Amino acid sequence: MAHKEHAKWSPYDNNGGTCVAVAGADYCVIAADTRMSTGYNILTRDYSKICKLADKCLLASSGFQADIRALQKNLAAKHLIYQHQHNKQMSCPAMAQLLSNTLYYKRFFPYYAFNVLGGLDNEGKGCVFTYDAVGSYERVGYSSQGSGSTLMMPVLDNQLKSPSPLLLPAKDAVTPLSESEAVDLVKDVFASAAERDIYTGDGLEIVVVNAGGIRRLAEVELTAWIQSPGTRTH
Protein backbone atom coordinates (compact mmCIF):
# COMPACT_ATOMS: atom_id res chain seq x y z
CA MET A 1 0.00 0.00 0.00
CA ALA A 2 1.44 3.33 -1.05
CA HIS A 3 2.23 5.82 1.68
CA LYS A 4 -0.08 8.81 1.56
CA GLU A 5 1.45 12.08 2.66
CA HIS A 6 -0.94 14.56 4.20
CA ALA A 7 -0.54 18.23 3.49
CA LYS A 8 0.85 20.16 6.43
CA TRP A 9 -1.55 22.71 7.88
CA SER A 10 -0.19 26.14 8.70
CA PRO A 11 -1.92 28.81 10.80
CA TYR A 12 -0.34 31.46 8.57
CA ASP A 13 -0.74 32.66 5.02
CA ASN A 14 1.10 35.42 3.19
CA ASN A 15 -1.34 37.63 1.32
CA GLY A 16 1.42 39.60 -0.37
CA GLY A 17 1.54 43.29 -1.17
CA THR A 18 4.00 46.02 -0.36
CA CYS A 19 3.96 49.17 1.74
CA VAL A 20 6.32 52.15 1.85
CA ALA A 21 6.73 55.20 4.07
CA VAL A 22 8.93 58.28 3.59
CA ALA A 23 9.45 60.95 6.28
CA GLY A 24 10.27 64.57 5.51
CA ALA A 25 10.95 67.66 7.58
CA ASP A 26 7.24 68.37 8.11
CA TYR A 27 5.37 65.53 6.44
CA CYS A 28 5.15 61.76 6.07
CA VAL A 29 4.03 59.84 2.99
CA ILE A 30 2.62 56.34 3.49
CA ALA A 31 1.66 54.18 0.52
CA ALA A 32 0.60 50.61 -0.23
CA ASP A 33 -0.74 48.65 -3.16
CA THR A 34 -4.29 47.31 -3.09
CA ARG A 35 -3.82 43.70 -4.28
CA MET A 36 -4.48 40.84 -1.84
CA SER A 37 -3.39 37.37 -2.97
CA THR A 38 -2.93 33.85 -1.79
CA GLY A 39 -0.51 31.76 -3.81
CA TYR A 40 -1.25 32.48 -7.47
CA ASN A 41 -4.83 33.57 -6.76
CA ILE A 42 -5.87 37.20 -6.45
CA LEU A 43 -8.52 37.46 -3.73
CA THR A 44 -9.29 41.14 -4.33
CA ARG A 45 -7.80 44.05 -6.26
CA ASP A 46 -9.15 46.75 -3.96
CA TYR A 47 -7.95 46.09 -0.42
CA SER A 48 -6.52 48.88 1.75
CA LYS A 49 -3.40 48.02 3.74
CA ILE A 50 -3.26 51.42 5.47
CA CYS A 51 -4.96 51.97 8.84
CA LYS A 52 -5.39 55.25 10.73
CA LEU A 53 -4.41 54.77 14.37
CA ALA A 54 -4.47 58.42 15.48
CA ASP A 55 -4.86 61.89 13.96
CA LYS A 56 -1.16 62.01 13.04
CA CYS A 57 -0.27 58.33 12.92
CA LEU A 58 -0.88 55.69 10.24
CA LEU A 59 0.00 52.00 10.06
CA ALA A 60 0.72 50.17 6.79
CA SER A 61 1.09 46.39 7.00
CA SER A 62 1.92 43.46 4.76
CA GLY A 63 1.72 39.74 5.50
CA PHE A 64 -1.23 37.69 6.75
CA GLN A 65 -4.24 39.98 6.57
CA ALA A 66 -6.23 38.13 9.26
CA ASP A 67 -3.38 38.70 11.75
CA ILE A 68 -3.07 42.31 10.60
CA ARG A 69 -6.76 42.97 11.26
CA ALA A 70 -6.45 41.39 14.72
CA LEU A 71 -3.40 43.57 15.41
CA GLN A 72 -5.20 46.73 14.27
CA LYS A 73 -8.18 45.98 16.54
CA ASN A 74 -5.82 45.33 19.46
CA LEU A 75 -4.05 48.66 18.96
CA ALA A 76 -7.34 50.53 18.53
CA ALA A 77 -8.65 49.11 21.84
CA LYS A 78 -5.45 50.05 23.70
CA HIS A 79 -5.48 53.52 22.17
CA LEU A 80 -9.09 54.04 23.26
CA ILE A 81 -8.16 53.13 26.84
CA TYR A 82 -5.20 55.55 26.67
CA GLN A 83 -7.50 58.37 25.49
CA HIS A 84 -9.92 57.78 28.35
CA GLN A 85 -7.10 57.75 30.89
CA HIS A 86 -5.09 60.72 29.56
CA ASN A 87 -7.72 62.75 27.68
CA LYS A 88 -5.51 62.98 24.60
CA GLN A 89 -4.37 60.88 21.66
CA MET A 90 -1.07 59.03 21.54
CA SER A 91 1.82 60.64 19.72
CA CYS A 92 3.34 58.70 16.84
CA PRO A 93 6.51 57.74 18.81
CA ALA A 94 4.32 56.53 21.70
CA MET A 95 2.23 54.47 19.28
CA ALA A 96 5.48 53.06 17.86
CA GLN A 97 6.47 51.81 21.30
CA LEU A 98 2.99 50.38 21.90
CA LEU A 99 3.16 48.49 18.59
CA SER A 100 6.58 47.12 19.52
CA ASN A 101 5.32 45.93 22.92
CA THR A 102 2.20 44.37 21.35
CA LEU A 103 4.22 42.42 18.79
CA TYR A 104 6.80 41.30 21.36
CA TYR A 105 4.07 40.06 23.72
CA LYS A 106 3.01 37.65 20.95
CA ARG A 107 6.56 36.59 20.06
CA PHE A 108 5.99 32.86 20.73
CA PHE A 109 3.04 32.78 18.31
CA PRO A 110 3.65 36.01 16.40
CA TYR A 111 1.33 38.11 14.34
CA TYR A 112 2.50 37.36 10.78
CA ALA A 113 2.56 41.08 10.05
CA PHE A 114 5.34 43.30 8.77
CA ASN A 115 4.62 46.88 9.62
CA VAL A 116 5.63 50.42 8.76
CA LEU A 117 4.32 53.13 11.08
CA GLY A 118 4.38 56.73 9.85
CA GLY A 119 3.23 60.15 10.96
CA LEU A 120 4.40 63.27 12.77
CA ASP A 121 6.23 63.44 16.10
CA ASN A 122 5.63 65.96 18.89
CA GLU A 123 7.81 68.53 17.10
CA GLY A 124 5.88 68.22 13.85
CA LYS A 125 8.66 66.34 12.07
CA GLY A 126 7.92 63.36 9.87
CA CYS A 127 8.75 60.00 11.40
CA VAL A 128 8.83 56.44 10.10
CA PHE A 129 9.23 53.31 12.24
CA THR A 130 9.95 49.95 10.64
CA TYR A 131 9.38 46.56 12.34
CA ASP A 132 10.05 42.87 12.17
CA ALA A 133 7.36 40.34 13.15
CA VAL A 134 8.35 40.20 16.85
CA GLY A 135 8.57 43.90 17.65
CA SER A 136 12.17 44.97 16.97
CA TYR A 137 11.87 48.46 15.52
CA GLU A 138 13.88 51.46 14.41
CA ARG A 139 13.14 55.05 13.51
CA VAL A 140 14.26 55.69 9.95
CA GLY A 141 13.78 58.24 7.19
CA TYR A 142 12.13 55.72 4.87
CA SER A 143 11.26 52.05 4.79
CA SER A 144 9.47 49.35 2.84
CA GLN A 145 7.88 46.08 3.95
CA GLY A 146 6.23 43.25 2.07
CA SER A 147 6.73 41.08 -0.97
CA GLY A 148 8.18 43.88 -3.11
CA SER A 149 10.40 45.44 -0.46
CA THR A 150 13.58 43.77 -1.73
CA LEU A 151 12.97 45.44 -5.09
CA MET A 152 12.13 48.86 -3.64
CA MET A 153 14.75 49.31 -0.91
CA PRO A 154 17.77 49.45 -3.28
CA VAL A 155 16.06 52.25 -5.24
CA LEU A 156 15.11 54.13 -2.08
CA ASP A 157 18.65 53.70 -0.72
CA ASN A 158 20.10 55.03 -3.95
CA GLN A 159 17.86 58.10 -3.95
CA LEU A 160 17.65 58.90 -0.24
CA LYS A 161 20.47 57.35 1.76
CA SER A 162 22.99 59.80 3.15
CA PRO A 163 26.61 59.28 2.03
CA SER A 164 27.58 59.28 5.71
CA PRO A 165 25.41 57.83 8.48
CA LEU A 166 26.67 60.62 10.72
CA LEU A 167 24.67 63.14 8.69
CA LEU A 168 21.34 61.44 9.43
CA PRO A 169 21.28 60.14 13.00
CA ALA A 170 18.35 57.86 13.80
CA LYS A 171 16.85 60.29 16.30
CA ASP A 172 16.33 62.84 13.51
CA ALA A 173 15.87 60.56 10.51
CA VAL A 174 14.18 62.55 7.75
CA THR A 175 14.71 62.68 4.01
CA PRO A 176 15.69 65.86 2.12
CA LEU A 177 12.79 65.61 -0.36
CA SER A 178 9.84 67.96 -0.56
CA GLU A 179 6.39 66.46 -0.11
CA SER A 180 5.61 66.36 -3.84
CA GLU A 181 9.02 64.85 -4.64
CA ALA A 182 8.42 62.10 -2.07
CA VAL A 183 5.03 61.30 -3.61
CA ASP A 184 6.59 61.10 -7.08
CA LEU A 185 9.36 58.81 -5.82
CA VAL A 186 6.83 56.50 -4.16
CA LYS A 187 4.87 56.25 -7.42
CA ASP A 188 8.04 55.39 -9.33
CA VAL A 189 9.21 52.64 -6.95
CA PHE A 190 5.76 51.04 -6.94
CA ALA A 191 5.54 51.12 -10.74
CA SER A 192 8.95 49.44 -10.89
CA ALA A 193 8.16 46.77 -8.29
CA ALA A 194 4.74 45.96 -9.78
CA GLU A 195 6.43 44.97 -13.04
CA ARG A 196 8.52 42.31 -11.25
CA ASP A 197 6.50 41.20 -8.21
CA ILE A 198 3.26 39.33 -8.96
CA TYR A 199 1.94 40.04 -5.45
CA THR A 200 2.19 43.84 -5.85
CA GLY A 201 -0.14 45.63 -8.22
CA ASP A 202 -3.61 46.79 -9.30
CA GLY A 203 -3.89 50.02 -7.33
CA LEU A 204 -1.69 52.32 -5.27
CA GLU A 205 -3.07 54.08 -2.20
CA ILE A 206 -1.07 57.12 -1.08
CA VAL A 207 -1.72 59.01 2.17
CA VAL A 208 0.11 62.18 3.26
CA VAL A 209 0.28 63.34 6.89
CA ASN A 210 1.30 66.94 7.61
CA ALA A 211 0.37 69.81 9.91
CA GLY A 212 -2.93 70.20 8.07
CA GLY A 213 -3.96 66.63 8.88
CA ILE A 214 -4.28 63.45 6.83
CA ARG A 215 -4.79 63.73 3.07
CA ARG A 216 -5.58 60.72 0.90
CA LEU A 217 -4.43 61.16 -2.69
CA ALA A 218 -6.40 59.83 -5.64
CA GLU A 219 -5.68 56.14 -6.10
CA VAL A 220 -3.27 55.31 -8.93
CA GLU A 221 -3.97 52.27 -11.14
CA LEU A 222 -0.62 50.48 -11.25
CA THR A 223 -1.62 48.02 -13.99
CA ALA A 224 -2.66 50.70 -16.48
CA TRP A 225 0.38 52.79 -15.59
CA ILE A 226 2.74 49.91 -16.36
CA GLN A 227 1.02 48.99 -19.65
CA SER A 228 1.26 52.56 -20.94
CA PRO A 229 4.65 53.88 -19.77
CA GLY A 230 4.56 56.68 -22.31
CA THR A 231 1.51 58.18 -20.62
CA ARG A 232 2.84 58.22 -17.04
CA THR A 233 2.08 61.37 -15.15
CA HIS A 234 3.09 62.34 -11.65
Side-chain angles (χ1 to χ4, degrees):
M1 182 176 178
H3 173 68
K4 185 178 180 180
E5 183 175 342
H6 294 278
K8 293 181 180 178
W9 178 81
S10 171
Y12 296 120
D13 189 15
N14 189 345
N15 298 124
T18 312
C19 46
V20 167
V22 178
D26 58 355
Y27 71 86
C28 184
V29 177
I30 301 100
D33 72 302
T34 60
R35 178 177 294 180
M36 183 167 71
S37 311
T38 180
Y40 291 109
N41 299 316
I42 295 175
L43 301 175
T44 176
R45 300 178 187 274
D46 188 25
Y47 185 83
S48 175
K49 299 181 179 72
I50 301 175
C51 173
K52 177 183 173 182
L53 296 179
D55 286 344
K56 295 183 178 179
C57 184
L58 293 163
L59 176 67
S61 308
S62 180
F64 183 28
Q65 291 301 325
D67 274 6
I68 290 166
R69 287 297 298 143
L71 175 62
Q72 291 170 353
K73 289 180 180 180
N74 192 339
L75 292 172
K78 290 177 178 176
H79 188 216
L80 185 62
I81 293 170
Y82 179 92
Q83 289 178 84
H84 286 312
Q85 290 177 341
H86 301 276
N87 200 29
K88 65 176 182 179
Q89 293 199 357
M90 273 190 187
S91 66
C92 197
M95 187 68 76
Q97 183 66 63
L98 174 63
L99 175 55
S100 175
N101 293 350
T102 304
L103 293 171
Y104 188 71
Y105 180 79
K106 280 268 290 178
R107 65 192 179 279
F108 297 116
F109 186 19
Y111 291 113
Y112 193 63
F114 300 93
N115 304 285
V116 176
L117 189 76
L120 301 181
D121 64 15
N122 293 325
E123 299 176 0
K125 293 181 180 178
C127 54
V128 171
F129 299 89
T130 187
Y131 292 79
D132 69 2
V134 292
S136 296
Y137 77 112
E138 180 184 9
R139 181 170 179 173
V140 292
Y142 58 92
S143 184
S144 174
Q145 293 280 10
S147 57
S149 63
T150 53
L151 299 169
M152 292 186 183
M153 283 306 292
V155 181
L156 293 170
D157 285 339
N158 177 264
Q159 294 295 309
L160 300 176
K161 194 170 186 179
S162 169
S164 169
L166 297 176
L167 299 179
L168 282 178
K171 65 180 179 181
D172 191 27
V174 295
T175 63
L177 300 183
S178 68
E179 185 180 303
S180 61
E181 289 172 337
V183 170
D184 286 345
L185 177 61
V186 164
K187 289 180 181 180
D188 284 339
V189 295
F190 266 99
S192 176
E195 293 187 49
R196 291 286 180 181
D197 176 30
I198 63 170
Y199 302 110
T200 300
D202 294 314
L204 173 59
E205 184 181 17
I206 303 175
V207 183
V208 178
V209 186
N210 55 29
I214 294 174
R215 187 171 85 259
R216 191 176 297 270
L217 304 186
E219 193 173 288
V220 179
E221 289 188 15
L222 283 171
T223 308
W225 199 18
I226 291 168
Q227 290 172 347
S228 307
T231 61
R232 292 182 186 176
T233 57
H234 297 291

